[in-house]
């Protein structure tokens, strides 16, 4: 059969022809695979440095899952921060169709919608386990989709760091007054809480943190946790490593898809993209949980990092400030109010159950 004979025939006929050409009869079984006329090539832009442990590799893993699960029907090429666009421009870039996929964290987009911040991390908010419960079974995902819809984007949870660390400091934090005048890299709502405590929050992408801390452009920084923080070498530029990450108790990473590109896919490929994100979401949390353990030991034993915990009174004051800051988002616009109320309602229920389950068990484990 000549190439022009294919024109005008359906995919089923194409598949049948392809199988016949291989010497197999399409009637010999029910597993005849429909092959598309061409491979779909997608680009994924990220806010992370290329191949950065956990986050960048999480983006790579998602891209590979989509390619592998689709049997190569969708090939995804990943671009690290700055390769195609600067990290904080990926939202607009995917929205405008420059790439089909973006990988980042939704609190970077509060300039687009204040409500976006509820889908990454809220100070003193939901843990990773609770966040996934809210998104998948508590109505959170539908709200996230509503927030991104005006931008022609479909969001998906695509990773979680678990509880982060509180950050790297060159002085001890013994009272809230020790945060006054402190210039610290801390994103999102946590940054606003620091401002209320008298500090100066600075928004910087990950790739610029070490140099800024080393040169004294910033006094302190948070990033993620032992696994990532070890890789960045913060222990060379700061003396104290504080716990816990009150500002990021279970940060959800995101994959957003250009809606038109997603809807142009056949149903099975749309399902593959969505479920690949679900697998990546779970896998990243497992990876962080495993690798943070080992990295913490390296920081303590090989680099003599001074581990500290924020005093109870400091955490209590930060929690009060956080409640104010988070509640104020509800005043910004009707959708933010809707998301805030849904989040708070779920949080109240989650706290009650977690007190009886996770907290009760963890206390029992460490006390026994
Ligand atoms: Ca962080």
């Amino acid at each position: 059969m000549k190439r022009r004979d294919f024109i005008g025939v359906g995919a089923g006929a194409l598949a049948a022809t392809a199988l016949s050409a291989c010497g197999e009869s399409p009637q010999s079984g029910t597993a005849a695979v429909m092959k598309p006329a061409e491979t779909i090539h997608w680009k994924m832009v990220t806010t992370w440095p290329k191949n950065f442990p956990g986050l960048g590799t999480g983006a790579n893993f998602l891209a590979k899952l989509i390619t592998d699960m689709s049997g190569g029907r969708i090939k995804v090429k990943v671009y690290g921060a700055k390769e195609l666009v600067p990290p904080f421009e990926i939202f607009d870039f995917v929205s405008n169709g420059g790439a089909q996929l973006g990988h980042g964290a939704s609190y970077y987009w509060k300039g687009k919608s204040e409500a976006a911040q509820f889908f990454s991390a809220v100070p003193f908010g939901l843990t990773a386990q609770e966040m996934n419960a809210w998104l998948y079974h508590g109505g959170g995902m539908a709200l996230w989709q509503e927030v991104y819809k005006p931008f022609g984007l479909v969001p998906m949870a695509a990773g979680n760091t678990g509880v982060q660390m509180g950050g790297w400091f060159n002085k001890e934090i013994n009272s809230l007054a020790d945060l006054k005048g402190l210039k610290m890299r801390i994103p999102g709502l946590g940054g606003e809480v620091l401002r209320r405590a008298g500090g100066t929050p600075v928004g910087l992408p990950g790739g610029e943190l070490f140099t800024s801390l080393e040169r004294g452009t910033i006094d302190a920084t948070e990033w993620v946790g032992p696994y990532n923080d070890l890789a960045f070498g913060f222990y060379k530029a700061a003396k104290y490593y504080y716990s816990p990450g009150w500002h990021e108790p279970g940060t959800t990473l995101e994959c957003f898809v250009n809606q038109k590109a997603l809807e142009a896919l056949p149903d099975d490929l749309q399902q593959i993209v969505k479920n690949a994100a679900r697998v990546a979401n779970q896998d990243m949390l497992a990876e962080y949980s495993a690798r943070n353990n080992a990295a913490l030991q390296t920081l303590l034993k090989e680099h003599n990092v001074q581990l500290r915990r924020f005093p109870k009174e400091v955490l209590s004051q930060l929690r009060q400030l956080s409640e104010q800051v988070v509640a104020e988002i509800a005043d910004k616009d009707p959708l933010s109010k809707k998301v805030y109320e849904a989040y708070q309602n779920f949080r109240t229920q989650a706290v009650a159950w977690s007190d009886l389950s996770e907290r009760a068990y963890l206390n029992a484990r460490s006390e026994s």
Side-chain angles (χ1 to χ4, degrees):
M1 190 182 281
K2 292 175 185 172
R3 179 172 290 272
R4 65 175 176 272
D5 295 328
F6 286 128
I7 296 169
V9 300
L14 272 172
T17 306
L19 286 166
S20 297
C22 298
E24 294 177 27
S25 165
Q27 280 81 38
S28 63
T30 54
V33 177
M34 308 265 258
K35 294 196 175 177
E38 56 186 310
T39 305
I40 298 163
H41 291 275
W42 273 14
K43 294 173 188 164
M44 178 191 284
V45 285
T46 74
T47 54
W48 324 115
K50 181 87 171 167
N51 300 325
F52 188 74
L55 303 170
T57 54
N60 295 348
F61 180 61
L62 173 57
K64 187 174 184 307
L65 275 177
I66 294 172
T67 299
D68 289 351
M69 288 166 74
S70 70
R73 290 155 71 195
I74 307 177
K75 288 217 161 80
V76 182
K77 183 169 168 55
V78 180
Y79 295 87
K82 297 182 186 172
E83 282 194 295
L84 279 185
V85 276
F88 295 154
E89 290 178 21
I90 67 163
F91 191 91
D92 284 338
F93 194 67
V94 177
S95 177
N96 294 330
Q100 291 74 28
L101 297 161
H103 196 282
S106 69
Y107 52 35
Y108 291 143
W109 321 124
K110 74 169 190 172
K112 303 291 179 187
S113 171
E114 290 279 341
Q117 299 172 96
F118 285 104
F119 305 102
S120 47
V122 171
F124 297 95
L126 301 176
T127 64
Q129 184 170 324
E130 294 163 349
M131 192 68 189
N132 287 330
W134 183 52
L135 291 175
Y136 293 137
H137 292 281
M141 189 62 80
L143 289 168
W144 195 359
Q145 288 165 354
E146 192 176 341
V147 171
Y148 278 28
K149 194 172 175 54
F151 306 98
L153 297 172
V154 179
M156 298 167 195
N160 199 301
T161 63
V163 181
Q164 298 198 359
M165 283 292 281
W168 296 85
F169 299 79
N170 270 310
K171 66 173 186 180
E172 290 192 333
I173 306 299
N174 295 315
S175 74
L176 207 65
D178 290 322
L179 296 175
K180 278 208 169 70
L182 196 78
K183 201 169 174 187
M184 179 174 181
R185 185 273 181 184
I186 174 169
L189 296 165
E192 185 52 33
V193 173
L194 179 72
R195 190 194 309 281
R196 306 274 170 110
T200 305
V202 180
L204 286 173
E208 297 174 25
L209 297 189
F210 179 78
T211 308
S212 301
L213 187 62
E214 193 183 34
R215 290 179 183 169
T217 314
I218 52 176
D219 303 314
T221 190
E222 68 78 58
W223 177 226
V224 182
Y227 176 42
N228 282 157
D229 295 7
L230 172 65
F232 266 171
F234 293 136
Y235 59 86
K236 294 179 220 163
K239 192 171 174 187
Y240 301 109
Y241 195 23
Y242 267 82
S243 157
W246 54 272
H247 61 301
E248 296 199 64
T251 304
T252 295
L253 288 312
E254 66 179 358
C255 168
F256 47 79
V257 191
N258 180 284
Q259 189 176 348
K260 282 184 192 157
L262 184 66
E263 289 174 355
L265 296 177
D267 286 349
D268 64 330
L269 289 184
Q270 290 191 36
Q271 284 300 322
I272 282 169
V273 172
K274 289 173 187 173
N275 284 292
R278 202 147 163 157
V279 171
N281 188 36
Q282 167 60 30
D283 187 77
M284 189 188 289
L285 180 62
E287 183 182 13
Y288 269 109
S289 300
R291 296 193 193 276
N292 277 333
N293 300 340
L296 178 64
Q297 296 310 309
T298 304
L299 285 170
L300 297 179
K301 289 175 181 165
E302 293 179 24
H303 302 301
N304 300 314
V305 165
Q306 300 288 305
L307 209 52
R308 294 285 186 277
R309 287 192 191 203
F310 290 117
K312 200 173 175 182
E313 193 184 320
V314 170
L315 288 173
S316 172
Q317 289 167 316
L318 289 171
R319 189 172 65 243
Q320 287 166 31
L321 290 172
S322 296
E323 281 167 13
Q324 291 171 19
V325 167
V326 176
E328 286 170 17
I329 302 174
D331 302 332
K332 305 284 184 183
D333 58 83
L335 184 52
S336 294
K337 181 176 167 60
K338 184 177 167 184
V339 176
Y340 167 76
E341 287 174 353
Y343 186 94
Q344 287 298 100
N345 183 43
F346 194 88
R347 182 181 179 277
T348 301
Q349 295 173 16
V351 166
W353 169 238
S354 291
D355 271 353
L356 279 174
S357 54
E358 299 295 315
R359 186 207 299 275
Y361 170 69
L362 291 174
N363 286 346
R365 186 170 68 180
S366 49
E367 286 162 5
S368 58

